Structure formats: structure tokens, C-alpha cells
Amino acid sequence: MNSASSEGARPLGHPRPRRLRATPAMRRLVAETRLHPADLILPVFVREGAGEPVPISSMPGVLQHTTDSLKKAVTDAAAAGIGGIMLFGVPEHKDAIGSGATDPEGILNVATRIAVAEAGDALVVQTDLCLDEFTDHGHCGVLDANGYVDNDATLERYRDMGIAQAEAGSQLLGLSGMMDGQVAAVRDALDATGFGNTPILAYAAKYASAFYGPFREAVQSSLEGDRRTYQQDPANRREGLREVELDLAEGADIVMVKPAMSYLDVLADAAASSPVPVWAYQVSGEYAMIEAAAAHGWIDRRRAIEESVVGIRRAGADAVLTYWAVELAGWIR
């Protein structure tokens, strides 16, 4: 054999990873990460007093629902086979302590009763337990005389909010306010009032992120200033795992990392150490970026959506909150 013919030759047994990429069927067979509708959760906004659904301009395709249109959103989600919905209330009136959050006739509690009745056993109806949608200053807690979020006074409001949501029928309370001790406070309140079987989803590692921007429109936020004194600094990785460990010690049944795509390292850390399920929230800014780029023809919309959620699952998320939950479920069923 001359040198030209032998140059670059490989033994028959030489590893060739491309063998397992040759066809769609082969790629599907050996895929390490799979999406399933049951792993997806749809965030849903319900607006008090709305006569018809209201489009959210910064989140194309996402609506603020009326209590009537909520019913169809729930049945559509159930038909798609997704795992659950996360409800957010958009009240007409706000005040300094977020009174509407604990009012049985407040929009979130009303929406919860409607969703639970509509969903039956087909979905897990979850509720956002935070005051930001209900306060006139837009913060996640009660302010002290100096305008600083008072952690312990806020915990008292969270206790009451947890009981109100459980009474409305919420099947999973999503504690998203990032107050120290919030899981223990709500757990104690639930246990003391006969709701010991109501589980808690702790937004354990929630960062002060620019990617929440469109969400402000979605909930008609009244935020003044920012939330950097209680949400995490984006520069900190180890702190994310510490927050997860603290919430686990307080009795969290599920822990969350939020946002998702910019914090996949934190998500992987949590997934590697947590004995309970770890979820991630693909937030409004992540959604808006992909939709905007796709609308300009700069990326393939479907491939980008699928790739983004696969990446979050691959990093360790057992389930993903995403505004594409129903659409994505239709593609992968």
C-alpha cells in the first residue's frame, strides 16, 4: 500500500461518534434528553375586571385572561397533556400591603377556584405566592418606614397568603418572593391550619435579572426601584446552591432556579445535590428574545424553542415553566 492510500487511514475499530448521528431515527434512539408534555408548566395571567383577553405586547401570543377565557386556557392545557399551570393575578386595585392577595374574592384566589374546578385531575393548579402583583409599590413584601422591604413583616403576609391560596384549592404554592425564612413560615402556617398536605415550590435561587422585563407588563407592575436587596446577584453561583439548601432544610417539596438559560450552571448544581425535584422557569425575557428574533427571520422559531427547553432539561430541570408549554407539547406528543 503506498503512502498516499494509507495516509489518514483509521483502524476499523476506531471510535466514530458520527455513526450514531446518521439518521433521524438513530438520533432519536440515542438521545440523552427527552421532552415530555408532563414536564411542562404553563404560566397563566388572569386580569381582574377584563371584559376580554388582553394581549401582552412584549410577549407575542401571551394574554392576560379573563375569568371566562381562563376556563378555555385550562382545558387546552389539559388536552395538551402538560403537567400544570401556574396562576398569576392582575388586580384592579393595589395597596401598600397587597390586601388583594389574601382576600378570598381577590383575583388570584377567584381564578384558583375556577381553574381547579375546570382542571379536575388533569392538571396541577399552582399559584404564585408573592405580593408584587398586589402592592402599589410593586415590591414583593411590606415596606418599613424607610422604604426597605421588611423581611419578617412580609413573612406574616406570606403566611396569610398561603392559607388563602390553600383554601382556594391551590395544589402547589409557588413561593417566589425571596424572603429569608419564607418556606418555614408558610409551611408552619399550612400545617397549623389543616393544610399539611399542600406542597411548597420554593423559588430557591431567584436572581435579580434583566430578563424579567416583559413580565412587568404582564402583571402591570407598579415597581419603584429594583429588587436587588432580596433577589440574588447574577454574579453569584455558590450562593444559589446555599439558597437551595436553606429552602430544603425548611421543608420545600420542590425547588426552583429562575431565570433558566443564563443560570444553567446554578441549575446543574442544584440538580446534582437536591433530593427533591428541581424545576426552572424560562422567563418572559427569554421568551420575548426568541419570539422577536424569529419574527425578524433571524432564527428558526420552532428549532430555537425546542433547543432552549432541551438545554434547560439537559442541565438538570425535572420540569420547566415556559410560555410555550401548550404549543411545545403539541409538537412533541
Side-chain angles (χ1 to χ4, degrees):
M1 181 179 293
N2 62 42
S3 60
S5 61
S6 62
E7 185 178 351
R10 296 288 187 271
L12 291 177
H14 193 85
R16 288 184 180 269
R18 288 182 57 189
R19 294 182 187 122
L20 300 184
R21 303 170 192 159
T23 66
M26 181 63 76
R27 292 192 294 272
R28 184 173 64 248
L29 179 63
V30 301
E32 298 176 24
T33 305
R34 302 181 190 280
L35 298 181
H36 189 279
D39 302 328
L40 306 174
I41 298 148
L42 178 69
V44 176
F45 305 102
V46 187
R47 179 171 174 172
E48 186 175 21
E52 59 184 19
V54 179
I56 300 168
S57 63
S58 55
M59 300 176 68
V62 180
L63 304 170
Q64 292 175 332
H65 284 282
T66 68
T67 51
D68 284 336
S69 69
L70 170 63
K71 296 176 184 178
K72 185 176 187 304
V74 172
T75 57
D76 288 348
I82 69 170
I85 59 171
M86 175 65 76
L87 295 175
F88 296 86
V90 185
E92 286 188 290
H93 305 290
K94 305 178 182 184
D95 60 28
I97 63 168
S99 299
T102 49
D103 181 352
E105 298 307 313
I107 183 59
L108 182 53
N109 296 320
V110 169
T112 301
R113 293 195 292 270
I114 292 170
V116 169
E118 201 69 30
D121 294 330
L123 292 169
V124 177
V125 176
Q126 309 162 35
T127 46
D128 178 60
L129 198 159
C130 191
L131 291 172
D132 59 325
E133 296 105 298
F134 298 92
T135 55
D136 53 12
H137 47 74
H139 278 286
C140 298
V142 179
L143 303 185
D144 63 18
N146 298 314
Y148 188 83
V149 175
D150 186 323
N151 193 95
D152 294 350
T154 298
L155 294 184
E156 294 303 316
R157 294 291 296 134
Y158 285 4
R159 288 185 178 97
D160 292 343
M161 194 174 180
I163 294 168
Q165 291 185 358
E167 289 177 339
S170 177
Q171 296 158 346
L172 181 65
L173 307 186
L175 278 60
S176 63
M178 285 298 288
M179 295 298 118
D180 293 340
Q182 63 183 12
V183 173
V186 175
R187 182 74 274 156
D188 288 347
L190 293 173
D191 291 351
T193 52
F195 294 106
N197 290 327
T198 301
I200 289 175
L201 160 64
Y203 287 51
K206 182 178 180 182
Y207 286 81
S209 172
F211 292 107
Y212 302 145
F215 183 87
R216 307 279 190 258
E217 179 190 354
V219 297
Q220 297 180 267
S221 174
S222 306
L223 181 63
E224 301 168 4
D226 59 52
R227 298 176 177 144
R228 296 182 184 182
T229 63
Y230 47 101
Q231 293 178 355
Q232 286 183 252
D233 186 337
N236 294 351
R237 176 177 180 173
R238 291 193 303 274
E239 185 185 36
L241 186 56
R242 181 182 183 222
E243 289 278 9
V244 168
E245 291 170 345
L246 289 170
D247 283 352
L248 289 171
E250 292 178 20
D253 299 284
I254 303 170
V255 291
M256 177 100 87
V257 174
K258 179 182 180 183
M261 290 175 65
S262 293
Y263 299 91
L264 296 181
D265 55 341
V266 179
L267 175 58
D269 291 344
S273 64
S274 173
V276 305
V278 177
W279 293 2
Y281 197 142
Q282 187 178 46
V283 300
S284 59
E286 298 172 60
Y287 175 92
M289 287 192 301
I290 291 176
E291 288 289 353
H296 282 83
W298 296 336
I299 58 174
D300 182 308
R301 180 177 180 272
R302 176 169 173 171
R303 286 187 62 194
I305 291 169
E306 291 176 332
E307 185 177 334
S308 68
V309 179
V310 165
I312 297 166
R313 289 275 288 117
R314 189 187 65 242
D318 297 296
V320 181
L321 277 76
T322 174
Y323 298 97
W324 289 301
V326 171
E327 184 177 17
L328 180 55
W331 295 340
I332 62 180
R333 288 187 75 175

